[in-house]
Amino acid sequence: MAPIFSPLPDKPDHGALELELLDAWEREGTFEKLRELNRGNPKFSFVDGPITANNAMGVHHAWGRTLKDVFQRYKALRGFDQRYQNGFDCQGLWVEVEVEKSLGLNSKREIEEYGLAEFAERCKERVAHFSEVITDQSVRLGMWMDWDRDYYTFTDTNIEYIWRFLKSVHERGWLYQGHRSTVWCPRCGTSISQHEVFSGEYKEVEHPSLTVRLPLTGREGESLAIWTTTPWTLPANVGAAVNPDADYVLREDGVWVARERDPEATAAKTARGSDLVGLEYEGPFDHLPAQEGVVHRVIPWDDVSLSEGTGIVHIAPGAGAEDFELSRVHDLPVLAPLDEAGRMLPGFGFDGVSTEEVEQPVIDDLERRGLLLEAGRIVHRYPTCWRCGTPLVFRVVDDWFISAEEIRQPMLDANATVEWTPPFYSKRMDDWLRNMGDWNISRKRYFGLPLPLYPCEDCGTLTVVGSRQELEERALGGLDQLQELHRPWIDEVPIACSGCEKEVRRIPEVGDAWLDAGIVPLSTLGWQSPEYIPEGYATGAGQGLTKADLPDHAYWEHWFPADWISEMREQIRLWFYSQSFMSVTLIGESPYRRVLTYEKLLDQTAREMHRSWGNAIDVNDAFTEMGADVMRWQFTSQPPSQNLLFGYGPANEIRRRLLTLWNSARFFVDYANIADWRPAWGDVADGPTGELQPLDRWLVSRTYELVREATDAYESYLTVNVVRAFESFVEDLSNWYIRRSRRRFWDGDPVALGALWYALVQSLRVVSPVMPFLSDHLWRALAGPVESAPESVHLAGWPEPREADDNLLAEVAELRRVVELGRQARSSVGVALRQPLHTLVVEGAVLAARHAGEIAEELRVREVTFGTVDASELRVKPHLPVLGPKLGKDLDAVRRALEAGEFDALPDGGFRAAGHDLGPDEVLVERRGKEGWAVATADGVTVALDAKLDEELLLLGRVYELIHRVNSLRKELGLELTDRIELTLPESDSVLLEHSDWIARETLAVSVEASGSELTLAKTGA
Ligand SMILES: [Zn+2]
Ligand SMILES: [Zn+2]
């Protein structure tokens, strides 16, 4: 007769079983069945933060996607109806930069030569390709999503929703064009907003370090000394700032510096900074055309640093943010020296050269004219572009901004309603909101959100188009070629100005990509959409990529706000911020109720992963070499407030730990098949049947406890606690229940088999969101043959909560602590585990007293007594690394006092010896046994083991050793668990025949004899 349960191999082949299950889920329609089960139930609304469909997935993406999948799976087991909509981010600088690279284009001029329509097509192709790659990788990871109905942020639908937001912002008077100093990437040719600057890396960059002399007008022989690391800004100098409250000195070499910067200098003159304000000086490049008519003045500035440079700061409002602000206060001219590509403009003396190329010519020029006091090099941390890594510069340009002032407090109020995991991130969000500047929304680029802004030079009206329909109503031509709302097509549609009806054109700028992702909680859920349009989301560039519906407003009412979202911590100033900004503006409330956020992924040695460093792990390699479950285990066992150290080392360790679960399941399968034991599905609801022994009752309670702990962990969105609870449960199951019940399994005890089966299948249900493959594989092995059991663990729902017997759990926990201490005591005196001993004395473990028999068996002692461990005495030693430095020459006296036992215990756990109070962490405390006794102590429990051996104990030790050897041999010879043997001991062991019945029972021997010089065993009937 075929066995009921298919036997499991020695260890799981994660890769193979995962691919098999992906097939099975597809074939059986498992995900669709799950959605069907939950349809119409109470909802769990998750809104996916879009992944950029720009490259293949990285392992850090796999972390975030695992967490999203874990909680969607958990909520599905709890019966919640869900949307499962995945999102792709598809336009903006990040896509453009990759397409530029792939086409070998290196500047905006080259893109324009290539043609904007062609360039847009290449961007769309890239998104189409990588959204498919990412989908395949996500499926491989085990992520369940409604893959056909993804949202794409470059659809016309998404764009129209952003247009509506911008129109609303304009109606409130928040939208303005700012002539401002902005951070600028010379390679990308666009400004970089505040949140993007923070996303970029600060790299170690080497720059010149120049001290320059600027002669004061009308003060013969006196100059100001200024310091700069950006020579390209000097031709744009218009002022010099001093700290009005600092002291300045005129040194003997004729230059003024702050006293603090050169305290030793002999001063020819001294002055307060405020005395210098208003003096005029000769600029470093007065002869340049751009400098014509500029009067250079000394201005006051409280922020002038006295900790670097000369204490006098060179001011170029066209080349620095703070300089620009000062120009407004002091009415200074703004000379902007750079073009879009970061090259010097005509009139600044170095036409067309880059900020780097101009360094040496500027230095040479200053030196020739005798203005250079010092020239060196400096290595400092400098911000770089988050997309292309180019060092950033400052430019004064016209950009479009949304004022943040009026929305700041409402956003703070909205954040107060959000529950953050871990909670301290809520304050991080508050900090960001309190300090956020106005939102720079315009980018001088191509394939991005077309900003619907149409300024009129005639009447001064700014027309903001709020929808495609409005565009068509106002259009004065070009609609026939408008295949989608992107550039270049949108630029060919002029409209009538809403003020004077004259023809106006769109500004050329596109929008910040965070507008695209920020609108998602409104656009994908159909906010204010009058009707439900099947596949209505697939518009514009998204056509053919998705079948996503455009839901109606009622649907939005149902699903908004998100119950839960999750992304990496940096999204506080990115997606968490932008969607809150847009939602609070339009709806007046937060678009999410709860957020899980987490730190960074590093390599296993805590270094950042970089392809160029050779330590990046390709996600496909990880699938092949670790398996998705093991990756997911790494991600989920991580506390979210710490960086994750990801790698093959931790993966191997996880694989080893998961073997305990596997071996327990395999053990069950083997013995259930031998006993021809068959479970009933009803046993899962009601627990194991029959006459339960105390150990069975404990296992059942322990299973209830696992369900309780895992429920709490999932409900608080902390996967690390799920993993901890599960690992500790499996440890108990394997190293306590199974080990202590081995004989019952040999005897085919149906109650033990039932209890073990129950514990295993319940634990698989609990862990299935974290580890969907192995849990389903084992589910199919254990529950598959059971009539009316769900075919997949993912369709089995969440286990009913039951009341655990907490007293019993505490009792066994204490019992296990005693056994653990007993083992420690044994190994401290080097007695082998198999060697029986006489006596164990236990102190401080009242609950374990009922389990004396189990303790005796576990520790192989003949007698266990509970009482005071009088066999031990306290020994205290100085902890030298701490006490040495503290006590100095007194250390010897203290050491001698401790050695002599001349000390008093203090209430804090410390001791007083030789006149010194020693803290608990300054001493090492040992409880040592009297002669022949081994002692171990922890957490208020102490055990003492009588380690003395006699003839009889030694003989018993030899028998245990023999049994162990025989059973190892049985395994080596490949005997079945049921095979009987004939056993022959060497003559030298004939004394052991005294215990031949016992030996026969433990080794399944039909006969035990002694002859010859070798241990031999033969299978009977073979
Ligand atoms: Zn760049
Ligand atoms: Zn007008």
Side-chain angles (χ1 to χ4, degrees):
M1 199 179 74
I4 297 167
F5 302 95
S6 308
L8 293 169
D10 278 1
K11 54 183 184 208
D13 178 345
H14 287 279
L17 73 86
E18 288 173 5
L19 294 179
E20 270 169 35
L21 277 165
L22 287 172
D23 274 354
W25 293 341
E26 173 91 40
R27 196 172 56 243
E28 297 167 10
T30 315
F31 179 49
E32 287 69 32
K33 284 177 184 166
L34 176 67
R35 297 192 69 184
E36 199 45 52
L37 270 177
N38 294 335
R39 208 177 302 279
N41 285 359
K43 69 173 179 2
F44 174 68
S45 181
F46 165 73
V47 170
D48 186 33
I51 182 170
T52 308
N54 183 27
N55 273 310
M57 231 165 90
V59 283
H60 61 289
H61 292 119
W63 182 6
R65 291 170 96 67
T66 294
L67 293 176
K68 292 172 182 181
D69 189 57
V70 165
F71 289 101
Q72 291 192 108
R73 283 177 179 275
Y74 166 71
K75 289 291 179 178
L77 289 177
R78 307 289 323 236
F80 286 90
D81 195 3
Q82 295 175 69
R83 295 178 58 247
Y84 296 105
Q85 188 174 34
N86 171 77
F88 290 113
D89 218 352
C90 345
Q91 59 185 9
L93 196 49
W94 36 33
V95 178
E96 286 194 39
V97 169
E98 291 298 324
V99 171
E100 273 181 80
K101 272 193 223 159
S102 70
L103 293 174
L105 305 177
N106 250 321
S107 68
K108 288 169 73 173
R109 189 177 46 77
E110 284 176 29
I111 295 174
E112 283 170 20
E113 281 167 12
Y114 182 80
L116 293 198
E118 283 297 305
F119 187 71
E121 295 301 338
R122 296 297 88 74
C123 290
K124 289 194 273 178
E125 284 163 15
R126 187 172 184 96
V127 168
H129 172 69
F130 281 107
S131 56
E132 211 168 294
V133 170
I134 291 170
T135 300
D136 290 348
Q137 293 174 321
S138 304
V139 168
R140 178 64 189 84
L141 180 66
M143 190 182 198
W144 270 354
M145 280 291 196
D146 196 357
W147 291 115
D148 270 354
R149 296 170 190 276
D150 317 274
Y151 70 80
Y152 286 76
T153 59
F154 63 9
T155 62
D156 283 358
T157 301
N158 209 60
I159 289 170
E160 279 194 79
Y161 268 95
I162 302 166
W163 282 9
R164 201 180 316 176
F165 164 75
L166 293 172
K167 191 178 175 76
S168 166
V169 159
H170 180 48
E171 284 163 3
R172 292 167 200 230
W174 297 353
L175 187 66
Y176 70 94
Q177 189 178 26
H179 185 67
R180 280 211 178 183
S181 178
T182 66
V183 184
W184 187 271
C185 173
R187 200 217 65 86
C188 296
T190 189
S191 48
I192 299 292
S193 74
Q194 189 187 10
H195 49 249
E196 289 170 325
V197 174
F198 283 109
S199 300
E201 251 185 286
Y202 274 72
K203 282 192 192 148
E204 300 273 315
V205 176
E206 190 182 296
H207 278 141
S209 163
L210 307 184
T211 310
V212 177
R213 187 172 70 83
L214 302 174
L216 286 166
T217 315
R219 296 183 64 159
E220 195 62 33
E222 294 184 27
S223 296
L224 303 171
I226 58 100
W227 175 74
T228 183
T229 60
T230 49
W232 62 270
T233 62
L234 286 173
N237 172 274
V238 301
V242 292
N243 190 322
D245 296 326
D247 290 324
Y248 288 81
V249 295
L250 180 66
R251 293 192 312 214
E252 286 180 320
D253 62 354
V255 297
W256 285 93
V257 297
R259 161 62 82 190
E260 234 181 286
R261 298 306 304 149
D262 197 354
E264 307 300 321
T266 316
K269 270 189 197 176
T270 62
R272 294 288 283 175
S274 51
D275 299 334
L276 300 176
V277 169
L279 292 177
E280 291 178 9
Y281 66 90
E282 293 169 30
F285 287 92
D286 277 355
H287 55 285
L288 297 176
Q291 287 279 355
E292 209 178 301
V294 175
V295 178
H296 298 82
R297 279 187 293 124
V298 177
I299 59 165
W301 186 25
D302 293 338
D303 290 347
V304 169
S305 164
L306 298 174
S307 58
E308 62 174 13
T310 62
I312 304 176
V313 176
H314 130 71
I315 302 294
E322 290 162 320
D323 308 49
F324 185 80
E325 292 308 317
L326 286 169
S327 78
R328 295 191 161 179
V329 178
H330 297 288
D331 196 22
L332 306 176
V334 177
L335 309 182
L338 299 181
D339 70 6
E340 283 203 341
R343 294 177 175 275
M344 300 295 280
L345 283 166
F348 286 89
F350 305 90
D351 285 19
V353 297
S354 72
T355 54
E356 235 169 80
E357 291 160 353
V358 84
E359 287 172 359
Q360 201 52 46
V362 165
I363 294 169
D364 293 346
D365 196 309
L366 291 169
E367 182 148 44
R368 201 173 52 245
R369 291 186 288 122
L371 297 178
L372 193 64
L373 291 170
E374 264 177 54
R377 304 289 289 174
I378 184 174
V379 175
H380 56 169
R381 292 170 60 71
Y382 195 82
T384 58
C385 175
W386 68 304
R387 275 292 126 194
C388 71
T390 305
L392 298 170
V393 296
F394 282 96
R395 282 190 77 220
V396 174
V397 287
D398 290 337
D399 265 326
W400 290 87
F401 293 86
I402 301 174
S403 165
E405 273 326 296
E406 282 183 43
I407 200 71
R408 190 185 311 279
Q409 191 54 47
M411 283 179 79
L412 283 161
D413 295 343
N415 190 43
T417 69
V418 177
E419 213 175 319
W420 289 76
T421 314
F424 67 85
Y425 288 110
S426 173
K427 207 190 147 297
R428 296 270 180 88
M429 182 72 174
D430 278 350
D431 289 346
W432 170 256
L433 294 177
R434 284 203 189 90
N435 295 309
M436 69 174 168
D438 292 349
W439 187 354
N440 176 344
I441 57 164
S442 59
R443 300 288 180 273
K444 296 180 179 359
R445 296 291 306 188
Y446 309 103
F447 189 68
L449 165 78
L451 290 175
L453 313 186
Y454 296 78
C456 176
E457 285 187 5
D458 278 5
C459 74
T461 304
L462 173 68
T463 306
V464 178
V465 172
S467 68
R468 188 186 174 110
Q469 191 189 337
E470 193 183 333
L471 179 77
E472 288 174 2
E473 283 163 10
R474 294 212 154 271
L476 298 175
L479 286 176
D480 48 334
Q481 58 81 52
L482 187 64
Q483 63 173 63
E484 60 187 76
L485 296 177
H486 281 107
R487 296 187 74 186
W489 306 284
I490 183 80
D491 295 338
E492 301 306 316
V493 184
I495 65 163
C497 167
S498 59
C500 67
E501 299 297 322
K502 285 205 181 111
E503 178 176 308
V504 283
R505 295 197 159 263
R506 198 185 75 82
I507 59 165
E509 281 89 343
V510 296
D512 176 15
W514 292 104
L515 289 164
D516 303 333
I519 200 68
V520 155
L522 303 172
S523 63
T524 62
L525 300 178
W527 177 65
Q528 290 191 349
S529 178
E531 57 180 326
Y532 200 105
I533 311 171
E535 302 193 18
Y537 203 86
T539 54
Q543 256 163 12
L545 288 179
T546 173
K547 296 191 171 88
D549 304 325
L550 178 57
D552 58 10
H553 188 74
Y555 184 91
W556 179 84
E557 292 273 1
H558 183 68
W559 291 99
F560 184 94
D563 290 311
W564 180 72
I565 59 173
S566 174
E567 301 292 334
M568 231 170 234
R569 187 248 298 158
E570 63 176 2
Q571 300 294 338
I572 283 175
R573 55 172 194 270
L574 301 171
W575 189 55
F576 298 150
Y577 148 80
S578 72
Q579 59 165 329
S580 174
F581 196 118
M582 296 174 94
S583 203
V584 173
T585 297
L586 292 174
I587 317 292
E589 64 173 292
S590 171
Y592 42 85
R593 292 200 170 106
R594 194 150 189 171
V595 185
L596 166 64
T597 188
Y598 47 93
E599 290 296 319
K600 278 167 110 172
L601 183 142
L602 305 173
D603 79 4
Q604 64 192 42
T605 65
R607 284 196 318 157
E608 303 241 359
M609 278 194 190
H610 286 292
R611 248 172 250 283
S612 56
W613 295 356
N615 66 340
I617 295 180
D618 183 272
V619 79
N620 293 329
D621 292 346
F623 288 141
T624 313
E625 287 174 40
M626 297 178 190
D629 275 337
V630 171
M631 291 168 72
R632 292 172 69 113
W633 204 262
Q634 279 198 68
F635 298 139
T636 49
S637 57
Q638 175 65 23
S641 56
Q642 293 162 24
N643 291 333
L644 165 61
L645 310 187
F646 186 85
Y648 290 106
N652 289 335
E653 172 59 23
I654 288 165
R655 230 193 326 257
R656 198 186 57 71
R657 286 211 301 273
L658 290 178
L659 268 184
T660 311
L661 170 69
W662 179 267
N663 288 337
S664 303
R666 196 160 70 96
F667 179 88
F668 165 81
V669 166
D670 289 347
Y671 285 98
N673 279 338
I674 292 169
D676 199 23
W677 181 83
R678 186 183 290 269
W681 176 238
D683 292 353
V684 169
D686 305 333
T689 50
E691 191 95 351
L692 266 60
Q693 297 195 10
L695 200 56
D696 304 326
R697 285 204 305 277
W698 169 77
L699 181 62
V700 170
S701 251
R702 187 69 185 81
T703 310
Y704 295 162
E705 188 184 36
L706 169 69
V707 173
R708 182 175 73 203
E709 288 174 349
T711 306
D712 290 350
Y714 282 119
E715 291 296 334
S716 52
Y717 293 91
L718 284 172
T719 53
V720 53
N721 292 350
V722 177
V723 170
R724 279 181 193 151
F726 182 78
E727 287 192 335
S728 126
F729 174 80
V730 171
E731 214 283 323
D732 278 352
L733 177 78
S734 164
N735 284 328
W736 193 252
Y737 182 77
I738 293 182
R739 205 167 47 74
R740 300 267 330 130
S741 311
R742 241 171 243 280
R743 176 156 303 282
R744 294 169 64 200
F745 290 104
W746 295 346
D747 296 343
D749 178 346
V751 176
L753 285 163
L756 178 55
W757 182 80
Y758 170 78
L760 281 168
V761 297
Q762 293 295 70
S763 72
L764 294 175
R765 294 165 84 184
V766 160
V767 82
S768 66
V770 166
M771 192 171 60
F773 295 101
L774 190 61
S775 62
D776 206 19
H777 183 81
L778 290 176
W779 176 271
R780 286 160 189 258
L782 301 183
V786 182
E787 205 174 324
S788 75
E791 65 193 7
S792 162
V793 70
H794 305 299
L795 300 174
W798 190 248
E800 281 287 311
R802 303 274 169 147
E803 206 60 52
D805 181 344
D806 287 329
N807 291 332
L808 180 59
L809 291 173
E811 227 172 85
V812 176
E814 192 172 273
L815 155 64
R816 295 204 62 192
R817 196 150 56 235
V818 169
V819 169
E820 193 41 49
L821 287 172
R823 296 222 172 90
Q824 270 178 39
R826 218 176 230 281
S827 71
S828 74
V829 287
V831 180
L833 258 181
R834 273 184 282 281
Q835 174 60 56
L837 293 171
H838 268 301
T839 307
L840 179 80
V841 184
V842 181
E843 181 185 317
V846 262
L847 294 175
R850 289 177 49 191
H851 299 270
E854 283 156 276
I855 295 171
E857 255 179 65
E858 280 293 313
L859 292 174
R860 214 154 269 179
V861 291
R862 306 189 116 184
E863 185 191 24
V864 177
T865 63
F866 288 81
T868 313
V869 172
D870 59 357
S872 73
E873 63 188 23
L874 197 61
R875 301 255 306 179
V876 183
K877 287 183 189 169
H879 187 34
L880 291 174
V882 184
L883 269 189
K886 176 179 163 183
L887 295 177
K889 59 182 173 25
D890 286 359
L891 179 66
D892 251 358
V894 169
R895 193 210 306 260
R896 273 198 306 276
L898 291 175
E899 244 167 48
E902 292 161 2
F903 55 82
D904 298 313
L906 298 173
D908 67 347
F911 297 89
R912 165 173 284 269
H916 288 276
D917 282 354
L918 313 175
D921 52 348
E922 294 173 338
V923 290
L924 302 172
V925 182
E926 265 176 27
R927 302 196 70 180
R928 250 202 209 165
K930 287 181 178 166
E931 195 57 40
W933 287 76
V935 172
T937 182
D939 300 333
V941 178
T942 303
V943 302
L945 193 61
D946 183 356
K948 291 185 291 294
L949 295 170
D950 56 24
E951 287 296 318
E952 192 196 353
L953 288 173
L954 285 169
L955 182 69
L956 292 177
R958 284 176 67 188
V959 175
Y960 279 116
E961 192 56 46
L962 173 75
I963 292 170
H964 176 71
R965 266 179 67 207
V966 172
N967 283 332
S968 301
L969 263 175
R970 286 183 57 111
K971 266 190 206 149
E972 279 167 35
L973 295 172
L975 296 191
E976 296 291 327
L977 294 169
T978 47
D979 285 339
R980 305 273 149 174
I981 54 165
E982 287 161 357
L983 180 63
T984 310
L985 312 183
E987 291 275 13
S988 53
D989 275 350
S990 56
V991 60
L992 304 184
L993 290 177
E994 190 184 318
H995 295 287
S996 58
D997 288 352
W998 174 20
I999 295 167
R1001 202 166 58 238
E1002 296 290 333
T1003 61
L1004 291 191
V1006 292
S1007 62
V1008 184
E1009 293 166 6
S1011 79
S1013 60
E1014 304 234 334
L1015 175 70
T1016 58
L1017 57 92
K1019 191 173 151 185
T1020 53

